[in-house]
């Protein structure tokens, strides 16, 4: 444990710096819920740290930057294929996208200019920034997890999985990674060494994963129609919640007491993480592919009905 304490302290300092920078940015004031049309299914969505903008990836091969207050599309960036995944840099200056054309792109969020492209062996299915913004983790259909230096674009490490890597997430305060895979396993990985610390079996493909804000547990969604809460230290399952269909996406409330899930049964669900009780369901026109929760309480969902929705948690939970 001693070897981890120093890196964790460093990352907590980084997290404090991030929060300090975000406090200077302020949080955008969104006045009303809205729906924003896209040219095809909305595959992925991410909030700018300030909540002022969103980035979406779409089946029409475009990344869109959207003003969260007005709902206006500010910029579109063409890609070579479907945009599978998108993630904002912790300070908001750029975004990373993963695409069906086998490329990871780093894009300036102001100009839309592609700064770097990193070739992969197959589709880039998921991407996540290290909390410091110094590196990224990607998962690909070539069954590999890659760690990539954000400044140089160089691949620092590759880790093999048993099948397509569907999802990846960094621990908030350490060098651990969580990955979900087509071989029905959640893996907890030490990013410094590449060592797999723990594997947790699931009943189906692990489609999504998210760390609790404290880093003490994880939430996973699976093709077996279940949401699981898993203790990050022991790997033990703490809660199992049935859904009507495959669980495509999961996001924690910023305070960690609730979850939002997007499901192939066309529903967004708000869940109590202690009891597993569904507090509220919000119907969508098609499968809910992605969900992102901003610290202001607003949610964004992407759907196969070609719409991005902004949902006020305070209203949805009433």
């Amino acid at each position: 444990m001693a070897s981890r304490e120093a890196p964790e302290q460093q990352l907590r300092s980084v997290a404090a710096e991030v929060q300090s920078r975000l406090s200077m940015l302020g949080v955008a004031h969104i006045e009303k819920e809205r729906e924003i049309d896209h040219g095809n299914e909305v595959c992925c969505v991410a909030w700018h740290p300030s909540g002022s903008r969103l980035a979406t990836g779409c089946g029409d091969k475009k990344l869109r930057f959207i003003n969260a207050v007005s709902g206006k599309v500010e910029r579109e960036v063409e890609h070579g294929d479907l945009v599978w995944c998108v993630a904002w840099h912790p300070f908001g200056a750029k975004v990373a996208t993963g695409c069906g054309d086998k490329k990871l792109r780093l894009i300036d969020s102001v100009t839309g200019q592609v700064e770097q492209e990193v070739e992969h062996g197959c589709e880039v299915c998921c991407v996540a920034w290290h909390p410091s913004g110094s590196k990224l983790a990607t998962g690909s259909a070539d069954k590999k997890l890659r760690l990539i230096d954000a400044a140089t674009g160089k691949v620092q490490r590759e880790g093999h999985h048993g099948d397509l890597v569907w999802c990846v997430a960094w621990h908030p305060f350490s060098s651990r990674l969580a990955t979900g895979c087509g071989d029905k396993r959640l893996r907890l990985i030490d990013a410094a060494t590449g060592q797999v610390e723990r594997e947790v079996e699931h009943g189906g493909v692990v489609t999504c994963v998210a760390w609790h804000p404290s880093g003490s547990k994880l939430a996973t969604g699976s093709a077996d129609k279940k949401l699981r809460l898993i203790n990050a230290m022991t790997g033990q399952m703490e809660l199992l919640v049935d859904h009507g269909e495959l669980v495509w996406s999961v996001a924690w409330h910023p305070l960690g007491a609730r979850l939002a899930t997007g499901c192939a049964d066309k529903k967004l669900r708000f869940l109590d993480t202690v009891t597993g009780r569904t507090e509220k369901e919000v119907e969508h026109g098609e499968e809910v592919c992605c969900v992102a929760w901003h610290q202001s309480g607003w949610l964004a969902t992407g759907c196969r009905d070609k719409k991005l929705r902004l949902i006020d948690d305070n209203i949805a939970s009433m």
Side-chain angles (χ1 to χ4, degrees):
M1 291 293 294
S3 62
R4 273 195 187 150
E5 287 179 0
E8 288 193 10
Q9 288 174 355
Q10 291 171 0
L11 278 175
R12 288 180 187 276
S13 297
V14 169
E17 180 185 352
V18 170
Q19 289 304 313
S20 175
R21 293 197 188 188
L22 294 185
S23 65
M24 290 188 288
L25 287 175
V27 175
H29 179 64
I30 305 172
E31 295 184 347
K32 64 177 182 178
E33 297 187 325
R34 67 174 74 246
E35 295 181 353
I36 301 164
D37 290 321
H38 283 58
N40 207 314
E41 63 182 287
V42 183
C43 304
C44 53
V45 62
W47 288 94
H48 184 277
S50 70
S52 61
R53 304 168 73 204
L54 300 114
T56 63
C58 187
D60 63 4
K61 308 180 185 180
K62 293 179 182 178
L63 168 75
R64 289 173 172 85
F65 292 103
I66 297 170
N67 185 300
V69 177
S70 68
K72 297 286 181 64
V73 176
E74 296 178 338
R75 190 177 298 277
E76 296 181 349
V77 182
E78 297 282 347
H79 283 57
D81 206 323
L82 180 151
V83 183
W84 279 106
C85 52
V86 62
W88 284 93
H89 184 281
F91 301 149
K94 61 182 73 177
V95 299
T97 63
C99 186
D101 64 4
K102 308 180 185 180
K103 293 179 182 179
L104 168 75
R105 290 173 173 87
L106 301 186
I107 300 170
D108 185 293
S109 66
V110 176
T111 65
Q113 180 180 351
V114 177
E115 298 180 343
Q116 292 190 66
E117 293 184 350
V118 183
E119 297 282 349
H120 284 58
C122 212
E123 294 97 324
V124 183
C125 304
C126 53
V127 63
W129 289 91
H130 185 274
S132 70
S134 62
K135 66 185 74 174
L136 303 104
T138 64
S140 175
D142 64 4
K143 306 180 185 180
K144 292 181 182 179
L145 170 74
R146 290 173 173 86
L147 299 186
I148 297 169
D149 185 287
T152 66
K154 296 289 181 65
V155 177
Q156 298 177 328
R157 187 183 297 279
E158 291 185 352
H160 292 274
H161 283 57
D163 206 320
L164 180 154
V165 184
W166 277 93
C167 52
V168 62
W170 286 95
H171 185 283
F173 306 116
S174 79
S175 61
R176 299 176 84 195
L177 281 165
T179 63
C181 187
D183 64 5
K184 305 180 184 180
R185 294 178 183 176
L186 168 75
R187 289 174 173 86
L188 300 183
I189 300 169
D190 185 322
T193 65
Q195 180 181 351
V196 178
E197 299 178 340
R198 191 175 301 279
E199 294 183 353
V200 182
E201 297 282 348
H202 285 58
V205 172
V206 184
T207 50
C208 53
V209 62
W211 289 92
H212 185 276
S214 70
S216 61
K217 63 185 73 176
L218 303 106
T220 64
S222 175
D224 64 4
K225 307 179 185 180
K226 291 180 169 62
L227 170 79
R228 292 170 172 84
L229 295 191
I230 297 169
N231 186 293
M233 292 301 295
T234 66
Q236 296 294 310
M237 185 173 64
E238 297 181 347
L239 192 65
L240 185 70
V241 183
D242 288 316
H243 283 58
E245 260 297 343
L246 178 152
V247 183
W248 278 118
S249 53
V250 62
W252 288 92
H253 184 279
L255 298 179
R258 302 164 68 221
L259 281 164
T261 61
C263 187
D265 66 1
K266 308 179 185 180
K267 293 179 182 177
L268 168 72
R269 291 174 172 85
F270 295 89
L271 304 170
D272 183 295
T273 60
V274 176
T275 65
R277 183 176 67 89
T278 299
E279 298 177 343
K280 180 79 175 180
E281 294 181 351
V282 181
E283 296 282 349
H284 284 57
E286 264 296 343
E287 296 182 31
V288 184
C289 302
C290 52
V291 59
W293 214 329
H294 188 261
Q295 62 185 9
S296 63
W298 281 83
L299 287 100
T301 64
C303 185
R304 285 205 166 145
D305 64 3
K306 307 180 184 180
K307 292 181 181 178
L308 171 74
R309 291 171 173 85
L310 300 187
I311 298 169
D312 187 346
D313 173 37
N314 296 318
I315 295 174
S317 304
M318 293 175 67

